[in-house]
Amino acid sequence: MTAVLGGCGLGGGGSDEVTLELVAADYGDSSANSSQKYWDKLVKEYEAKHSGVKVDVSVYSWTDVDRKVKELVDAGKAPDMAQIGAYADYADKGLLYKADELIGIREQADFVAQLGSAGRINGMQYGMPFAASTRLLFYNKTLFADAGLTPPTTWKQLAADAEALKADGVKYPYALPLGPEEAQAETMQWLLSGGGGYVDDVGTYGIDSDENVATLTWLKDDLVGQGLTGPVAPENLNRAAAFSAFAAGDVGMLNGHPSLMKTAAEKGVKFGMVPMPGVDGPTKNSMGVADWMMAFRQNGHAEQVGDFLDFVYSEKNVLAFSREYDLLPVTNSASEVMSGDSRDADLKPFLDALPSAELPPVGKTSWASVSAAVKRRIGSAVSSEGNPTEVLRALQLTARNAE
């Protein structure tokens, strides 16, 4: 299909020229590495080979990008493409092209299996994975050496290590960011390590399962209640602040994704990474995260969008984006290259975790509201006055109603 579309007038010009609009998220942490620079370079190269197509890319911060796309869609001015955090609501409303209306079977088959599956609703691919990461337990090697510690493999060992770090005066023995920025991610990693999760094996919400209650109860009693999570209450600690504290050398352990490596290294922090400890040993399934590319039907530019996406998802461009922002490739072909390249050695532990990673239930149209509720409420479950059972039951009710 892609080969056929590639010859359908995409090289023309003049009055037939098509302008595609893409709204994208910013993965940079400064103007120097803004995603706008990545897209500008990519688009310049694409347009040089396709004189009949222009691509306008607007990049917004993660704080604003999802809202911006919603505003455009609600105003009847949907962009041709959006690269944001969720796709299911738009797919449910019939606003998106299916992937097979845009790109070929070979290109779809190149998506990493778990990521491709997470982009499907009723077997149809609407969300095309664009960026991915997994989580590992980061630990400060210097602080661990000073305390005579080894990286933990079980919860009991993690608590014992945190106790020793606290005795050595470490500010955050274990940083537990359950603040509203990204509490749903930290929570999911802990739920998985306790044998639970947001959904059961058939995809039904099971937020208040016995396993999840036991996990949050352990966090409340054995970690937070023992003063092992630092001076900021978990419900008030955001991920960005926790990462900054780690880079400042004030954190013994925390869950982190690949971007933390560069931040910590730039500050001279010596760190190690291991699988998240579980009840009886390392967690089998790490949490995976994916962001999505989607194409809206409104403007009817399927041929041009498909041709542009073929270019976006070429091995060269997927690798360039992944390396620029310390993220994992979403295609098998780029993953194979990265796995065997010495310059990407630091990312190998995250790549190794990806095949068994579990993603949040992003294919559920209810997930956006459930995720928002987790961000608001979950931190209170581990506070001194908190009740894990009650909080999880309330979240389960929210999920059931949202479904």
Side-chain angles (χ1 to χ4, degrees):
M1 179 178 179
T2 301
V4 173
L5 294 180
C8 291
L10 298 187
S15 60
D16 293 331
E17 185 173 279
V18 169
T19 298
L20 302 178
E21 294 185 2
L22 166 62
V23 176
D26 193 352
Y27 291 83
D29 55 15
S30 68
S31 58
N33 69 341
S34 166
S35 292
Q36 189 72 57
K37 289 190 174 183
Y38 169 82
W39 285 111
D40 287 349
K41 180 179 178 182
L42 184 146
V43 165
K44 183 178 180 180
E45 185 178 344
Y46 179 79
E47 289 178 349
K49 301 175 182 177
H50 301 81
S51 59
V53 180
K54 297 293 183 185
V55 185
D56 288 341
V57 183
S58 300
V59 173
Y60 296 89
S61 72
W62 275 108
T63 305
D64 299 321
V65 68
D66 290 309
R67 173 181 55 79
K68 181 63 178 178
V69 172
K70 184 178 185 302
E71 289 173 353
L72 290 170
V73 172
D74 290 347
K77 300 177 180 179
D80 294 283
M81 295 164 282
Q83 186 273 297
I84 52 178
Y87 69 89
D89 282 352
Y90 298 122
D92 186 57
K93 295 173 183 175
L95 301 178
L96 301 181
Y97 283 112
K98 295 191 289 289
D100 61 13
E101 296 176 277
L102 303 168
I103 61 177
I105 294 174
R106 183 178 63 184
E107 286 74 18
Q108 291 183 65
D110 196 29
F111 289 135
V112 173
Q114 295 90 320
L115 305 179
S117 296
R120 297 187 193 118
I121 297 178
N122 297 325
M124 299 293 180
Q125 187 94 44
Y126 291 96
M128 290 164 277
F130 183 76
S133 70
T134 52
R135 301 294 170 99
L136 295 172
L137 183 77
F138 281 67
Y139 66 96
N140 184 310
K141 285 187 173 181
T142 303
L143 297 178
F144 265 62
D146 289 346
L149 302 175
T150 56
T153 59
T154 67
W155 287 359
K156 184 176 180 180
Q157 292 170 354
L158 185 148
D161 285 354
E163 190 70 57
L165 292 167
K166 179 184 178 183
D168 267 7
V170 175
K171 190 172 181 180
Y172 293 90
Y174 179 89
L176 183 66
L178 295 180
E181 180 190 2
E182 206 186 26
Q184 86 289 355
E186 179 74 13
T187 299
M188 182 172 175
Q189 184 63 72
W190 276 100
L191 298 184
L192 290 173
S193 73
Y198 289 121
V199 297
D200 60 23
D201 292 339
V202 295
T204 302
Y205 281 114
I207 298 175
D208 60 347
S209 68
D210 291 344
E211 292 86 354
N212 291 347
V213 170
T215 295
L216 287 190
T217 300
W218 185 88
L219 280 175
K220 177 180 184 294
D221 295 342
D222 291 60
L223 212 60
V224 181
Q226 301 301 316
L228 303 179
T229 53
V232 179
E235 64 262 40
N236 297 323
L237 182 65
N238 281 324
R239 177 191 57 80
F243 278 21
S244 294
F246 187 84
D250 292 332
V251 175
M253 299 172 279
L254 86 172
N255 282 318
H257 52 62
S259 68
L260 181 56
M261 293 189 299
K262 181 183 291 185
T263 305
E266 287 174 349
K267 296 291 186 178
V269 173
K270 296 180 180 178
F271 60 88
M273 301 174 296
V274 294
M276 175 67 179
V279 178
D280 300 314
T283 304
K284 293 183 176 65
N285 296 327
S286 171
M287 187 192 72
V289 177
D291 301 321
W292 305 96
M293 178 71 77
M294 62 208 73
F296 289 90
R297 291 182 171 276
Q298 181 175 320
N299 300 320
H301 294 147
E303 293 181 7
Q304 293 84 357
V305 168
D307 190 72
F308 178 65
L309 290 179
D310 280 345
F311 184 72
V312 169
Y313 282 104
S314 68
E315 181 181 295
K316 168 192 163 186
N317 288 325
V318 171
L319 282 170
F321 180 84
S322 301
R323 285 169 171 158
E324 176 66 30
Y325 299 108
D326 287 323
L327 292 165
L328 304 184
V330 297
T331 61
N332 292 311
S333 55
S335 293
E336 288 174 8
V337 172
M338 188 173 274
S339 293
D341 196 319
S342 59
R343 80 180 104 164
D344 302 309
D346 287 346
L347 282 170
K348 195 170 188 313
F350 296 95
L351 282 166
D352 290 344
L354 188 57
S356 60
E358 184 171 325
L359 274 71
V362 292
K364 289 179 173 289
T365 57
S366 58
W367 173 240
S369 60
V370 173
S371 176
V374 172
K375 290 180 182 181
R376 288 195 308 269
R377 303 177 189 173
I378 201 68
S380 66
V382 300
S383 67
S384 58
E385 303 298 323
N387 187 315
T389 301
E390 289 183 2
V391 171
L392 291 174
R393 282 177 180 169
L395 289 171
Q396 176 68 11
L397 181 60
T398 296
R400 190 179 300 127
N401 290 338
E403 281 283 272

